Amino acid sequence: MSTRTLIAALACTAAFQAPIAHAADDPGALIACGTTEADRVTSREEALARSQSWLDARVPYSQQACHRNEHGSYRTDCSGYVSMAWGLTHSRTTTTLRDVAAEIPRADLRPGDALTTSYHAALFVRWADDAKSEPVVREQTGPDGAAPVERKWTAQTANAYTPLRYYRVTGD
């Protein structure tokens, strides 16, 4: 991974944790907040319920903080939010979410999948239109202190993102 790619990936995910196992493979492991033993098998309904817990708690966005609740401890940025919703071992970065997910066709997006770029990640909730061009997403986004939101993206915004499906999701 080039220095430029790493900096872009960390732009959404810089925090302060000590190194843990596999840091060479996943720079997000260095700033993970906390870990679990294994990535969870997570249903689509569970991913949405987990993501709703941060909406309800109005968890403030920060690239320097972690939030702990019944789902574990995760970084309070965009990729930490998706990591928490999916039940990953630790908060991944926007680029290392791909290590636990597969790219899928946009038309195949289902609740609990993700939309990602090298600098941002959001959880897909549903389509706002029959043409499947405007997704409704949940995302943890700045500025610092802002609560996570559920909102509709335009087709233009959505087209800049890559759809991903967590490899341990159930309910297909």
Side-chain angles (χ1 to χ4, degrees), residues 1-15 23-31 63 75 79 92-96 118-119:
M1 176 181 292
S2 73
T3 302
R4 178 173 280 163
T5 303
L6 180 58
I7 290 169
L10 294 177
C12 176
T13 58
D25 298 330
D26 177 13
L30 294 171
I31 49 179
Q63 293 180 337
R75 213 176 36 252
S79 55
R92 290 190 167 264
T93 67
T94 53
T95 56
T96 63
S118 63
Y119 56 86

Side-chain angles (χ1 to χ4, degrees), residues 14 31 65-66 88 91 131 162:
I31 49 179
C66 300
L88 302 182
S91 298
T162 301

